[in-house]
Amino acid sequence: MIATAAKATLTLHHFELFRQIVGEKYVLADEESMLDYSHDETEDLHYLPEVVLKPRTTQEISAILKICNRDHIPVTPRGGGTGLSGGALPNLGGVLLSTERFNSIINIDERNLQVTTESGVITEVLQDAVKEKGLFYPPDPSSRGSCFIGGNIAENSGGPKAVKYGVVKDYVLNIEMVLPTGEIIWTGANVLKNATGYNLTQLVVGSEGTLGIVTKIVLRLIPMPKHDLLMLVPFRSAENACAAVSAIFSAGYTPSGLEFMERDALEWVSKFVDSSTLSIGLDVQAHLLVEVDGNNLDVLMQEIEGIAAIVSGYDCGEILFADDTQQKAELWKLRSRVGEAVKAHSIYKEEDTVVPRAELPVLLKGVKEIGKKYGFHSVCYGHAGDGNLHVNIIRGELTDEQWNGSVKDGIREIFLLVKQLGGTISGEHGVGLVQKEFMSILFNETQMRLMKEIKKIFDPNQILNRGKIFD
């Protein structure tokens, strides 16, 4: 679906002002550029902007936003375009503001274990740069090879390492951002403890680009663990695989990665990347990918053996222990590219559910029962150690009426179950454009009013990423 704005908001004068700010080369309005920036990785949605701007400095963004705020022009900030909730879709036309030129790592402070970076740096590039110094930035979304740090801030990204090390919010110390009015602020201080006033930094993390445009970030780092061990555990029951997750933690173990993949997910990704690493038994319904890391290899061996003993009580098959770095990389590649494999297989809707981890078996069973009730097939995988299950609803042969009607009824029922289990409808993908209709399941009128009032304080003319999270 390709949509355009309801009415034009830009004049020739605006285009001239934008050229004066960023230069002719970085004001794009040709058809190819409009199409390139009309979508992210969310389903099959496309919305055409009226212009794409690529500023290079914080001051340029400030100048652009002052014009747009004055003339009530919608602005959609965009990072790497890897989002899964429509957060970077220019649904109201107007300006698409790309941060791709904000691609410098400003300083790696080895004494204080911090890095200062611009928002357009690719996550994996940052991770590799600090790794060379023996340091570690743990948040690692599966799109880390193309997503931007700024986008990770917007969505409070997590990834497999979050189970042990936490998500983006646990590493952000300070943020430079441009408010929709054009004002430039820093949100905090470059310190590990800060009880001075309201925590604006944590308010901005996860705000999905609705409160301001992030330009620079100061991140906390930790030393890089010296060793890691990895195993892949097959289960004859997907629910048993989920049940084993809670048992691992109850026994006192904290893996550095604990990922769930049901059979279809692993089969599809193996074909997608043309991998012969695994031979999946006919009776296997799901796998857990379990990693431990640290600095003492003997301790890690004891941990992985202890975890293996626990999962053996949940009707698992023969455990595959990764022999070397290459095999570890191959297994992680299969997990990280599941999303691409599902997308290549069919149009799909990905729901980012999260519940207390002990409730995972109930959630998975409920998802499958709801799928049968509404006639859709789902492929599930995710960060089981966090209770974060990605539910991919496959379109397949469903009609438009089913896809836009009964499937949405099924999704609502899944979210009602999630709330009943003490969970929420997004663990790391955000609400964006596609989940906002379900916000009333989680929040009452008072909660929604408070969020809308916060938005209005930051963005009085409602120009920045309008229509995301709520109308």
Side-chain angles (χ1 to χ4, degrees):
M1 178 184 78
I2 298 181
T4 56
K7 62 179 181 178
T9 55
L10 298 178
T11 66
L12 292 176
H13 179 60
H14 289 124
F15 279 84
E16 180 56 34
L17 291 175
F18 294 149
R19 292 188 187 101
Q20 291 175 13
I21 294 168
V22 301
E24 179 83 29
K25 182 179 178 181
Y26 300 111
V27 178
L28 308 178
D30 59 286
E31 182 179 357
E32 183 178 356
S33 296
M34 296 302 97
L35 288 172
D36 285 345
Y37 289 89
S38 70
H39 63 91
D40 56 11
E41 295 300 319
T42 308
E43 299 176 24
D44 57 342
L45 301 178
H46 293 73
Y47 293 89
L48 296 172
E50 294 171 64
V51 66
V52 175
L53 303 181
K54 299 183 179 183
R56 178 62 190 93
T57 68
T58 302
Q59 289 70 31
E60 287 177 0
I61 291 180
S62 173
I64 292 166
L65 289 184
K66 285 178 181 177
I67 292 168
C68 293
N69 186 60
R70 180 194 69 199
D71 296 342
H72 295 248
I73 298 168
V75 179
T76 303
R78 179 185 173 97
T82 61
L84 293 165
S85 62
L89 298 179
N91 53 303
L92 297 178
V95 171
L96 188 293
L97 194 150
S98 171
T99 58
E100 62 197 79
R101 296 177 66 209
F102 281 73
N103 58 0
S104 295
I105 298 173
I106 297 168
N107 179 48
I108 300 174
D109 182 350
E110 296 178 70
R111 291 191 310 138
N112 290 306
L113 301 186
Q114 296 178 5
V115 58
T116 303
T117 178
E118 291 185 324
S119 57
V121 172
I122 292 173
T123 303
E124 190 171 39
V125 170
L126 180 82
Q127 289 175 322
D128 289 344
V130 301
K131 185 177 181 179
E132 290 181 4
K133 309 283 188 180
L135 301 174
F136 186 30
Y137 175 66
D140 61 337
S142 59
S143 58
R144 63 184 176 277
S146 53
C147 64
F148 292 177
I149 288 292
N152 296 170
I153 299 292
E155 303 296 342
N156 192 21
S157 300
K161 301 291 186 184
V163 62
K164 179 177 181 179
Y165 293 105
V167 295
V168 164
K169 72 177 179 62
D170 300 305
Y171 294 87
V172 180
L173 301 176
N174 203 356
I175 292 172
E176 180 191 69
M177 64 184 292
V178 186
L179 299 180
T181 54
E183 297 162 284
I184 301 169
I185 66 168
W186 281 91
T187 60
N190 303 355
V191 292
L192 298 175
K193 297 173 69 176
N194 187 348
T196 313
Y198 293 147
N199 195 331
L200 296 179
T201 303
Q202 292 300 320
L203 179 61
V204 171
V205 176
S207 63
E208 303 188 34
T210 62
L211 303 182
I213 296 180
V214 174
T215 50
K216 298 184 183 73
I217 310 105
V218 181
L219 297 166
R220 178 176 71 91
L221 304 173
I222 59 177
M224 175 65 70
K226 293 182 173 64
H227 307 287
D228 59 72
L229 299 174
L230 184 67
M231 65 180 182
L232 186 71
V233 188
F235 292 84
R236 297 177 182 88
S237 160
E239 289 177 44
N240 276 350
C242 289
V245 172
S246 181
I248 290 169
F249 288 90
S250 295
Y253 299 106
T254 303
S256 53
L258 210 176
E259 299 291 300
F260 170 84
M261 294 173 283
E262 67 173 328
R263 184 186 184 95
D264 281 352
L266 205 47
E267 282 188 339
W268 290 7
V269 74
S270 293
K271 292 176 183 176
F272 181 72
V273 301
D274 194 24
S275 173
S276 58
T277 299
L278 297 178
S279 176
I280 304 173
L282 295 176
D283 61 341
V284 171
Q285 296 303 313
H287 286 78
L288 290 180
L289 186 64
V290 187
E291 180 193 77
V292 295
D293 72 359
N295 296 322
N296 187 317
L297 193 55
D298 291 335
V299 170
L300 296 183
M301 288 296 296
Q302 292 173 10
E303 289 183 0
I304 207 79
E305 289 170 2
I307 293 172
I310 290 168
V311 298
S312 66
Y314 288 83
D315 194 23
C316 73
E318 184 177 354
I319 299 173
L320 172 64
F321 295 91
D323 292 327
D324 51 35
T325 302
Q326 182 177 348
Q327 192 171 35
K328 291 175 188 175
E330 186 67 20
L331 290 175
W332 274 118
K333 181 175 76 171
L334 291 174
R335 168 59 189 92
S336 66
R337 300 194 67 183
V338 167
E340 294 174 67
V342 172
K343 186 171 185 176
H345 193 273
S346 169
I347 293 173
Y348 71 110
K349 296 180 186 289
E350 180 167 350
E351 309 307 332
D352 180 34
T353 61
V354 57
V355 296
R357 67 170 74 96
E359 307 300 336
L360 270 177
V362 182
L363 174 60
L364 182 66
K365 181 181 180 181
V367 166
K368 297 304 179 181
E369 289 175 348
I370 292 167
K372 289 179 182 178
K373 177 179 176 181
Y374 290 95
F376 61 76
H377 175 63
S378 63
V379 177
C380 299
Y381 58 90
H383 314 306
D386 295 328
N388 187 189
L389 187 70
H390 300 320
V391 180
N392 291 260
I393 298 172
I394 308 304
R395 174 151 188 175
E397 302 301 320
L398 295 177
T399 65
D400 287 345
E401 183 179 359
Q402 290 172 307
W403 189 242
N404 297 311
S406 60
V407 166
K408 282 199 171 183
D409 293 335
I411 292 170
R412 178 169 289 276
E413 199 163 315
I414 289 172
F415 289 161
L416 287 168
L417 172 62
V418 164
K419 182 182 181 182
Q420 178 186 331
L421 295 173
T424 191
I425 65 175
S426 179
E428 57 186 6
H429 293 168
V431 174
L433 192 63
V434 298
Q435 302 291 48
K436 64 181 180 178
E437 65 183 284
F438 304 111
M439 287 283 277
S440 61
I441 294 175
L442 278 299
F443 300 106
N444 61 32
E445 290 183 7
T446 300
Q447 292 167 308
M448 291 297 291
R449 174 178 57 80
L450 288 172
M451 285 189 277
K452 290 178 180 179
E453 288 179 356
I454 290 170
K455 164 68 171 170
K456 190 172 182 179
I457 289 170
F458 277 79
D459 187 5
N461 288 331
Q462 303 285 306
I463 66 164
L464 192 59
N465 229 11
R466 185 173 177 177
K468 312 299 169 56
I469 304 181
F470 38 70
D471 289 324

